[in-house]
mmCIF file of all heavy atoms in Angstrom:
data_model
loop_
_atom_site.group_PDB
_atom_site.id
_atom_site.type_symbol
_atom_site.label_atom_id
_atom_site.label_comp_id
_atom_site.label_asym_id
_atom_site.label_seq_id
_atom_site.Cartn_x
_atom_site.Cartn_y
_atom_site.Cartn_z
ATOM 1 N N ILE V 174 144.436 106.254 152.906
ATOM 2 C CA ILE V 174 144.593 107.034 151.678
ATOM 3 C C ILE V 174 146.050 106.996 151.207
ATOM 4 O O ILE V 174 146.980 107.165 151.989
ATOM 5 C CB ILE V 174 144.164 108.495 151.914
ATOM 6 C CG1 ILE V 174 142.650 108.581 152.086
ATOM 7 C CG2 ILE V 174 144.614 109.388 150.766
ATOM 8 C CD1 ILE V 174 141.876 108.351 150.814
ATOM 9 N N ASP V 175 146.221 106.784 149.906
ATOM 10 C CA ASP V 175 147.553 106.805 149.293
ATOM 11 C C ASP V 175 147.996 108.250 149.105
ATOM 12 O O ASP V 175 147.338 109.031 148.409
ATOM 13 C CB ASP V 175 147.499 106.079 147.949
ATOM 14 C CG ASP V 175 148.828 106.079 147.218
ATOM 15 O OD1 ASP V 175 149.857 106.378 147.863
ATOM 16 O OD2 ASP V 175 148.827 105.782 146.011
ATOM 17 N N CYS V 176 149.114 108.612 149.703
ATOM 18 C CA CYS V 176 149.665 109.960 149.550
ATOM 19 C C CYS V 176 150.794 110.002 148.519
ATOM 20 O O CYS V 176 151.414 111.052 148.319
ATOM 21 C CB CYS V 176 150.172 110.480 150.898
ATOM 22 S SG CYS V 176 148.861 110.669 152.121
ATOM 23 N N GLY V 177 151.076 108.884 147.893
ATOM 24 C CA GLY V 177 152.091 108.833 146.844
ATOM 25 C C GLY V 177 153.431 108.325 147.321
ATOM 26 O O GLY V 177 153.840 108.544 148.465
ATOM 27 N N ASN V 178 154.104 107.592 146.434
ATOM 28 C CA ASN V 178 155.465 107.098 146.669
ATOM 29 C C ASN V 178 155.602 106.271 147.946
ATOM 30 O O ASN V 178 156.578 106.378 148.684
ATOM 31 C CB ASN V 178 156.456 108.261 146.672
ATOM 32 C CG ASN V 178 156.538 108.943 145.319
ATOM 33 O OD1 ASN V 178 156.320 108.322 144.274
ATOM 34 N ND2 ASN V 178 156.842 110.230 145.315
ATOM 35 N N GLY V 179 154.598 105.438 148.208
ATOM 36 C CA GLY V 179 154.686 104.471 149.297
ATOM 37 C C GLY V 179 154.286 104.980 150.657
ATOM 38 O O GLY V 179 154.564 104.316 151.660
ATOM 39 N N ASN V 180 153.619 106.122 150.737
ATOM 40 C CA ASN V 180 153.174 106.683 152.019
ATOM 41 C C ASN V 180 151.653 106.765 152.062
ATOM 42 O O ASN V 180 151.017 107.169 151.080
ATOM 43 C CB ASN V 180 153.772 108.075 152.223
ATOM 44 C CG ASN V 180 155.283 108.039 152.364
ATOM 45 O OD1 ASN V 180 155.810 107.681 153.407
ATOM 46 N ND2 ASN V 180 155.988 108.394 151.285
ATOM 47 N N TYR V 181 151.094 106.404 153.221
ATOM 48 C CA TYR V 181 149.649 106.364 153.389
ATOM 49 C C TYR V 181 149.287 107.044 154.711
ATOM 50 O O TYR V 181 150.105 107.129 155.630
ATOM 51 C CB TYR V 181 149.148 104.913 153.366
ATOM 52 C CG TYR V 181 149.647 104.157 152.154
ATOM 53 C CD1 TYR V 181 150.884 103.510 152.187
ATOM 54 C CD2 TYR V 181 148.921 104.117 150.972
ATOM 55 C CE1 TYR V 181 151.376 102.850 151.072
ATOM 56 C CE2 TYR V 181 149.408 103.458 149.854
ATOM 57 C CZ TYR V 181 150.630 102.825 149.906
ATOM 58 O OH TYR V 181 151.116 102.186 148.808
ATOM 59 N N PHE V 182 148.028 107.493 154.810
ATOM 60 C CA PHE V 182 147.620 108.232 156.005
ATOM 61 C C PHE V 182 146.187 107.878 156.350
ATOM 62 O O PHE V 182 145.340 107.697 155.466
ATOM 63 C CB PHE V 182 147.746 109.735 155.759
ATOM 64 C CG PHE V 182 147.646 110.574 156.999
ATOM 65 C CD1 PHE V 182 148.678 110.601 157.934
ATOM 66 C CD2 PHE V 182 146.514 111.351 157.241
ATOM 67 C CE1 PHE V 182 148.588 111.388 159.079
ATOM 68 C CE2 PHE V 182 146.412 112.144 158.382
ATOM 69 C CZ PHE V 182 147.457 112.159 159.308
ATOM 70 N N ALA V 183 145.927 107.782 157.657
ATOM 71 C CA ALA V 183 144.581 107.479 158.133
ATOM 72 C C ALA V 183 144.337 108.196 159.457
ATOM 73 O O ALA V 183 145.248 108.340 160.286
ATOM 74 C CB ALA V 183 144.397 105.971 158.313
ATOM 75 N N ILE V 184 143.100 108.650 159.649
ATOM 76 C CA ILE V 184 142.671 109.273 160.901
ATOM 77 C C ILE V 184 141.590 108.388 161.504
ATOM 78 O O ILE V 184 140.511 108.212 160.919
ATOM 79 C CB ILE V 184 142.111 110.693 160.665
ATOM 80 C CG1 ILE V 184 143.145 111.579 159.964
ATOM 81 C CG2 ILE V 184 141.676 111.322 161.988
ATOM 82 C CD1 ILE V 184 142.601 112.940 159.545
ATOM 83 N N LEU V 185 141.864 107.810 162.675
ATOM 84 C CA LEU V 185 140.901 106.934 163.331
ATOM 85 C C LEU V 185 139.845 107.749 164.060
ATOM 86 O O LEU V 185 140.145 108.771 164.695
ATOM 87 C CB LEU V 185 141.601 106.004 164.313
ATOM 88 C CG LEU V 185 142.695 105.088 163.744
ATOM 89 C CD1 LEU V 185 143.196 104.127 164.830
ATOM 90 C CD2 LEU V 185 142.197 104.316 162.521
ATOM 91 N N VAL V 186 138.611 107.259 163.984
ATOM 92 C CA VAL V 186 137.485 107.903 164.655
ATOM 93 C C VAL V 186 136.810 106.887 165.569
ATOM 94 O O VAL V 186 136.551 105.754 165.156
ATOM 95 C CB VAL V 186 136.462 108.440 163.633
ATOM 96 C CG1 VAL V 186 135.298 109.128 164.352
ATOM 97 C CG2 VAL V 186 137.128 109.395 162.653
ATOM 98 N N GLY V 187 136.576 107.281 166.818
ATOM 99 C CA GLY V 187 135.849 106.407 167.741
ATOM 100 C C GLY V 187 136.738 105.517 168.588
ATOM 101 O O GLY V 187 136.237 104.698 169.362
ATOM 102 N N GLY V 188 138.021 105.664 168.512
ATOM 103 C CA GLY V 188 138.953 104.877 169.309
ATOM 104 C C GLY V 188 140.374 105.304 168.996
ATOM 105 O O GLY V 188 140.663 105.712 167.860
ATOM 106 N N ASN V 189 141.245 105.236 170.005
ATOM 107 C CA ASN V 189 142.614 105.719 169.798
ATOM 108 C C ASN V 189 143.662 104.634 170.007
ATOM 109 O O ASN V 189 144.815 104.929 170.319
ATOM 110 C CB ASN V 189 142.908 106.899 170.713
ATOM 111 C CG ASN V 189 142.917 106.506 172.182
ATOM 112 O OD1 ASN V 189 142.424 105.436 172.552
ATOM 113 N ND2 ASN V 189 143.489 107.366 173.037
ATOM 114 N N THR V 190 143.254 103.387 169.822
ATOM 115 C CA THR V 190 144.222 102.293 169.901
ATOM 116 C C THR V 190 144.091 101.409 168.664
ATOM 117 O O THR V 190 143.036 101.338 168.031
ATOM 118 C CB THR V 190 144.010 101.429 171.157
ATOM 119 O OG1 THR V 190 142.691 100.857 171.120
ATOM 120 C CG2 THR V 190 144.194 102.258 172.424
ATOM 121 N N ILE V 191 145.185 100.740 168.357
ATOM 122 C CA ILE V 191 145.177 99.824 167.230
ATOM 123 C C ILE V 191 146.009 98.602 167.590
ATOM 124 O O ILE V 191 147.065 98.712 168.231
ATOM 125 C CB ILE V 191 145.714 100.503 165.948
ATOM 126 C CG1 ILE V 191 145.510 99.584 164.733
ATOM 127 C CG2 ILE V 191 147.178 100.899 166.090
ATOM 128 C CD1 ILE V 191 145.781 100.292 163.405
ATOM 129 N N ALA V 192 145.506 97.429 167.226
ATOM 130 C CA ALA V 192 146.193 96.162 167.482
ATOM 131 C C ALA V 192 146.451 95.455 166.156
ATOM 132 O O ALA V 192 145.873 95.812 165.118
ATOM 133 C CB ALA V 192 145.342 95.280 168.396
ATOM 134 N N GLU V 193 147.318 94.448 166.214
ATOM 135 C CA GLU V 193 147.641 93.732 164.978
ATOM 136 C C GLU V 193 146.396 93.101 164.365
ATOM 137 O O GLU V 193 146.278 93.010 163.139
ATOM 138 C CB GLU V 193 148.698 92.670 165.257
ATOM 139 C CG GLU V 193 149.181 91.963 164.003
ATOM 140 C CD GLU V 193 150.403 91.108 164.244
ATOM 141 O OE1 GLU V 193 151.144 91.383 165.221
ATOM 142 O OE2 GLU V 193 150.637 90.170 163.467
ATOM 143 N N SER V 194 145.454 92.713 165.205
ATOM 144 C CA SER V 194 144.232 92.096 164.699
ATOM 145 C C SER V 194 143.351 93.079 163.926
ATOM 146 O O SER V 194 142.435 92.662 163.202
ATOM 147 C CB SER V 194 143.430 91.505 165.857
ATOM 148 O OG SER V 194 143.078 92.512 166.795
ATOM 149 N N ASN V 195 143.621 94.371 164.071
ATOM 150 C CA ASN V 195 142.850 95.389 163.344
ATOM 151 C C ASN V 195 143.420 95.655 161.960
ATOM 152 O O ASN V 195 142.867 96.465 161.209
ATOM 153 C CB ASN V 195 142.826 96.710 164.113
ATOM 154 C CG ASN V 195 142.255 96.585 165.502
ATOM 155 O OD1 ASN V 195 142.827 97.087 166.463
ATOM 156 N ND2 ASN V 195 141.115 95.905 165.635
ATOM 157 N N VAL V 196 144.533 94.999 161.629
ATOM 158 C CA VAL V 196 145.200 95.211 160.348
ATOM 159 C C VAL V 196 145.080 93.946 159.506
ATOM 160 O O VAL V 196 145.485 92.865 159.924
ATOM 161 C CB VAL V 196 146.688 95.566 160.547
ATOM 162 C CG1 VAL V 196 147.352 95.809 159.193
ATOM 163 C CG2 VAL V 196 146.824 96.769 161.458
ATOM 164 N N ILE V 197 144.511 94.088 158.334
ATOM 165 C CA ILE V 197 144.375 92.964 157.403
ATOM 166 C C ILE V 197 145.314 93.216 156.234
ATOM 167 O O ILE V 197 145.173 94.204 155.510
ATOM 168 C CB ILE V 197 142.929 92.819 156.908
ATOM 169 C CG1 ILE V 197 141.975 92.627 158.097
ATOM 170 C CG2 ILE V 197 142.814 91.652 155.931
ATOM 171 C CD1 ILE V 197 140.524 92.589 157.702
ATOM 172 N N LEU V 198 146.282 92.335 156.044
ATOM 173 C CA LEU V 198 147.277 92.504 154.984
ATOM 174 C C LEU V 198 146.766 91.956 153.657
ATOM 175 O O LEU V 198 146.053 90.953 153.614
ATOM 176 C CB LEU V 198 148.574 91.787 155.355
ATOM 177 C CG LEU V 198 149.286 92.286 156.617
ATOM 178 C CD1 LEU V 198 150.479 91.386 156.927
ATOM 179 C CD2 LEU V 198 149.743 93.728 156.443
ATOM 180 N N ASN V 199 147.146 92.630 152.613
ATOM 181 C CA ASN V 199 146.851 92.118 151.276
ATOM 182 C C ASN V 199 147.879 91.040 150.949
ATOM 183 O O ASN V 199 149.063 91.322 150.813
ATOM 184 C CB ASN V 199 146.928 93.258 150.249
ATOM 185 C CG ASN V 199 146.711 92.761 148.827
ATOM 186 O OD1 ASN V 199 146.206 91.670 148.624
ATOM 187 N ND2 ASN V 199 147.088 93.566 147.855
ATOM 188 N N ARG V 200 147.418 89.826 150.804
ATOM 189 C CA ARG V 200 148.320 88.715 150.487
ATOM 190 C C ARG V 200 147.964 88.107 149.136
ATOM 191 O O ARG V 200 148.112 86.926 148.912
ATOM 192 C CB ARG V 200 148.273 87.650 151.585
ATOM 193 C CG ARG V 200 148.727 88.171 152.952
ATOM 194 C CD ARG V 200 148.766 87.059 153.979
ATOM 195 N NE ARG V 200 149.129 87.521 155.307
ATOM 196 C CZ ARG V 200 150.376 87.697 155.736
ATOM 197 N NH1 ARG V 200 151.378 87.468 154.911
ATOM 198 N NH2 ARG V 200 150.620 88.107 156.956
ATOM 199 N N GLY V 201 147.484 88.955 148.228
ATOM 200 C CA GLY V 201 147.115 88.494 146.902
ATOM 201 C C GLY V 201 148.299 87.904 146.164
ATOM 202 O O GLY V 201 149.457 88.161 146.487
ATOM 203 N N TYR V 202 147.983 87.140 145.119
ATOM 204 C CA TYR V 202 149.070 86.447 144.411
ATOM 205 C C TYR V 202 149.898 87.399 143.570
ATOM 206 O O TYR V 202 151.005 87.075 143.152
ATOM 207 C CB TYR V 202 148.484 85.327 143.554
ATOM 208 C CG TYR V 202 148.126 85.714 142.148
ATOM 209 C CD1 TYR V 202 148.815 85.195 141.072
ATOM 210 C CD2 TYR V 202 147.086 86.614 141.889
ATOM 211 C CE1 TYR V 202 148.485 85.546 139.778
ATOM 212 C CE2 TYR V 202 146.755 86.959 140.604
ATOM 213 C CZ TYR V 202 147.449 86.421 139.546
ATOM 214 O OH TYR V 202 147.112 86.761 138.272
ATOM 215 N N ASP V 203 149.350 88.603 143.294
ATOM 216 C CA ASP V 203 150.129 89.542 142.482
ATOM 217 C C ASP V 203 151.170 90.250 143.336
ATOM 218 O O ASP V 203 152.363 90.190 143.070
ATOM 219 C CB ASP V 203 149.210 90.542 141.781
ATOM 220 C CG ASP V 203 148.171 91.168 142.710
ATOM 221 O OD1 ASP V 203 148.149 90.807 143.904
ATOM 222 O OD2 ASP V 203 147.396 92.018 142.232
ATOM 223 N N TYR V 204 150.731 90.953 144.406
ATOM 224 C CA TYR V 204 151.644 91.629 145.318
ATOM 225 C C TYR V 204 151.265 91.261 146.745
ATOM 226 O O TYR V 204 150.122 91.424 147.148
ATOM 227 C CB TYR V 204 151.591 93.152 145.145
ATOM 228 C CG TYR V 204 151.955 93.614 143.768
ATOM 229 C CD1 TYR V 204 151.096 94.410 143.032
ATOM 230 C CD2 TYR V 204 153.173 93.245 143.205
ATOM 231 C CE1 TYR V 204 151.432 94.836 141.763
ATOM 232 C CE2 TYR V 204 153.519 93.664 141.929
ATOM 233 C CZ TYR V 204 152.641 94.453 141.219
ATOM 234 O OH TYR V 204 152.976 94.861 139.950
ATOM 235 N N ALA V 205 152.238 90.786 147.494
ATOM 236 C CA ALA V 205 151.995 90.412 148.886
ATOM 237 C C ALA V 205 152.628 91.436 149.813
ATOM 238 O O ALA V 205 153.681 92.005 149.517
ATOM 239 C CB ALA V 205 152.569 89.023 149.158
ATOM 240 N N TYR V 206 151.984 91.679 150.942
ATOM 241 C CA TYR V 206 152.477 92.617 151.942
ATOM 242 C C TYR V 206 152.568 91.896 153.287
ATOM 243 O O TYR V 206 151.658 91.153 153.669
ATOM 244 C CB TYR V 206 151.543 93.820 152.064
ATOM 245 C CG TYR V 206 151.514 94.676 150.823
ATOM 246 C CD1 TYR V 206 150.737 94.308 149.721
ATOM 247 C CD2 TYR V 206 152.274 95.836 150.730
ATOM 248 C CE1 TYR V 206 150.720 95.082 148.571
ATOM 249 C CE2 TYR V 206 152.261 96.618 149.586
ATOM 250 C CZ TYR V 206 151.484 96.234 148.508
ATOM 251 O OH TYR V 206 151.469 96.999 147.367
ATOM 252 N N THR V 207 153.668 92.108 153.996
ATOM 253 C CA THR V 207 153.885 91.494 155.298
ATOM 254 C C THR V 207 154.487 92.530 156.243
ATOM 255 O O THR V 207 154.912 93.613 155.829
ATOM 256 C CB THR V 207 154.843 90.292 155.203
ATOM 257 O OG1 THR V 207 156.129 90.760 154.756
ATOM 258 C CG2 THR V 207 154.325 89.236 154.244
ATOM 259 N N PHE V 208 154.523 92.181 157.534
ATOM 260 C CA PHE V 208 155.258 93.001 158.492
ATOM 261 C C PHE V 208 156.735 92.612 158.431
ATOM 262 O O PHE V 208 157.091 91.548 157.920
ATOM 263 C CB PHE V 208 154.719 92.779 159.905
ATOM 264 C CG PHE V 208 153.271 93.154 160.064
ATOM 265 C CD1 PHE V 208 152.319 92.191 160.373
ATOM 266 C CD2 PHE V 208 152.863 94.471 159.902
ATOM 267 C CE1 PHE V 208 150.990 92.535 160.518
ATOM 268 C CE2 PHE V 208 151.531 94.828 160.050
ATOM 269 C CZ PHE V 208 150.589 93.851 160.350
ATOM 270 N N ASP V 209 157.596 93.474 158.936
ATOM 271 C CA ASP V 209 159.035 93.213 158.950
ATOM 272 C C ASP V 209 159.558 93.435 160.374
ATOM 273 O O ASP V 209 160.300 94.379 160.640
ATOM 274 C CB ASP V 209 159.746 94.135 157.956
ATOM 275 C CG ASP V 209 161.214 93.780 157.768
ATOM 276 O OD1 ASP V 209 161.620 92.685 158.210
ATOM 277 O OD2 ASP V 209 161.943 94.605 157.191
ATOM 278 N N PRO V 210 159.162 92.562 161.312
ATOM 279 C CA PRO V 210 159.485 92.804 162.729
ATOM 280 C C PRO V 210 160.976 92.747 163.041
ATOM 281 O O PRO V 210 161.408 93.292 164.062
ATOM 282 C CB PRO V 210 158.718 91.686 163.445
ATOM 283 C CG PRO V 210 158.569 90.599 162.425
ATOM 284 C CD PRO V 210 158.410 91.308 161.125
ATOM 285 N N MET V 211 161.775 92.099 162.176
ATOM 286 C CA MET V 211 163.208 92.042 162.432
ATOM 287 C C MET V 211 163.855 93.413 162.244
ATOM 288 O O MET V 211 164.908 93.702 162.816
ATOM 289 C CB MET V 211 163.869 91.013 161.519
ATOM 290 C CG MET V 211 163.324 89.606 161.695
ATOM 291 S SD MET V 211 163.561 88.989 163.385
ATOM 292 C CE MET V 211 165.348 88.901 163.435
ATOM 293 N N THR V 212 163.198 94.259 161.431
ATOM 294 C CA THR V 212 163.741 95.597 161.156
ATOM 295 C C THR V 212 162.955 96.683 161.875
ATOM 296 O O THR V 212 163.534 97.630 162.420
ATOM 297 C CB THR V 212 163.736 95.876 159.646
ATOM 298 O OG1 THR V 212 164.427 94.817 158.969
ATOM 299 C CG2 THR V 212 164.413 97.207 159.328
ATOM 300 N N TYR V 213 161.628 96.526 161.875
ATOM 301 C CA TYR V 213 160.765 97.535 162.483
ATOM 302 C C TYR V 213 159.868 96.869 163.523
ATOM 303 O O TYR V 213 159.133 95.930 163.209
ATOM 304 C CB TYR V 213 159.894 98.222 161.427
ATOM 305 C CG TYR V 213 160.686 98.969 160.371
ATOM 306 C CD1 TYR V 213 161.047 98.337 159.179
ATOM 307 C CD2 TYR V 213 161.069 100.287 160.569
ATOM 308 C CE1 TYR V 213 161.772 99.012 158.209
ATOM 309 C CE2 TYR V 213 161.795 100.978 159.601
ATOM 310 C CZ TYR V 213 162.142 100.335 158.433
ATOM 311 O OH TYR V 213 162.850 100.998 157.482
ATOM 312 N N ALA V 214 159.909 97.376 164.727
ATOM 313 C CA ALA V 214 159.062 96.832 165.784
ATOM 314 C C ALA V 214 157.593 97.090 165.452
ATOM 315 O O ALA V 214 157.248 98.145 164.905
ATOM 316 C CB ALA V 214 159.415 97.475 167.123
ATOM 317 N N ARG V 215 156.742 96.154 165.806
ATOM 318 C CA ARG V 215 155.324 96.358 165.574
ATOM 319 C C ARG V 215 154.816 97.393 166.575
ATOM 320 O O ARG V 215 155.027 97.246 167.788
ATOM 321 C CB ARG V 215 154.584 95.031 165.714
ATOM 322 C CG ARG V 215 155.093 93.994 164.702
ATOM 323 C CD ARG V 215 154.283 92.725 164.706
ATOM 324 N NE ARG V 215 154.865 91.740 163.790
ATOM 325 C CZ ARG V 215 154.316 90.570 163.484
ATOM 326 N NH1 ARG V 215 153.164 90.237 164.025
ATOM 327 N NH2 ARG V 215 154.915 89.743 162.654
ATOM 328 N N PRO V 216 154.117 98.411 166.087
ATOM 329 C CA PRO V 216 153.868 99.602 166.904
ATOM 330 C C PRO V 216 152.541 99.619 167.654
ATOM 331 O O PRO V 216 152.069 100.693 168.026
ATOM 332 C CB PRO V 216 153.868 100.696 165.835
ATOM 333 C CG PRO V 216 153.221 100.036 164.660
ATOM 334 C CD PRO V 216 153.666 98.603 164.696
ATOM 335 N N TRP V 217 151.919 98.494 167.871
ATOM 336 C CA TRP V 217 150.546 98.460 168.362
ATOM 337 C C TRP V 217 150.417 99.167 169.718
ATOM 338 O O TRP V 217 151.290 99.077 170.570
ATOM 339 C CB TRP V 217 150.048 97.024 168.464
ATOM 340 C CG TRP V 217 150.476 96.207 167.272
ATOM 341 C CD1 TRP V 217 151.190 95.056 167.286
ATOM 342 C CD2 TRP V 217 150.241 96.505 165.894
ATOM 343 N NE1 TRP V 217 151.431 94.605 166.032
ATOM 344 C CE2 TRP V 217 150.848 95.484 165.137
ATOM 345 C CE3 TRP V 217 149.589 97.543 165.232
ATOM 346 C CZ2 TRP V 217 150.821 95.445 163.761
ATOM 347 C CZ3 TRP V 217 149.562 97.519 163.847
ATOM 348 C CH2 TRP V 217 150.165 96.475 163.122
ATOM 349 N N GLY V 218 149.285 99.851 169.832
ATOM 350 C CA GLY V 218 149.021 100.578 171.075
ATOM 351 C C GLY V 218 148.243 101.849 170.816
ATOM 352 O O GLY V 218 147.398 101.912 169.917
#
């Protein structure tokens, strides 16, 4: 859910772990989204 100004929130049900494979990035030609591991560590777990 979009909470405004670039912040989003989700509550997982049925499992308490998340891996990179569970995240699908929007890579459309209009706006692309990627991870930034050089600045922010990937938080999987």
Side-chain angles (χ1 to χ4, degrees):
I174 289 288
D175 179 15
C176 296
N178 295 331
N180 295 283
Y181 308 87
F182 193 72
I184 303 173
L185 302 186
V186 181
N189 66 344
T190 60
I191 188 169
E193 185 169 336
S194 60
N195 302 133
V196 181
I197 302 175
L198 298 174
N199 177 17
R200 298 184 183 276
Y202 91 113
D203 48 359
Y204 300 125
Y206 294 80
T207 63
F208 299 116
D209 188 13
M211 300 300 294
T212 306
Y213 298 92
R215 300 186 184 186
W217 318 123

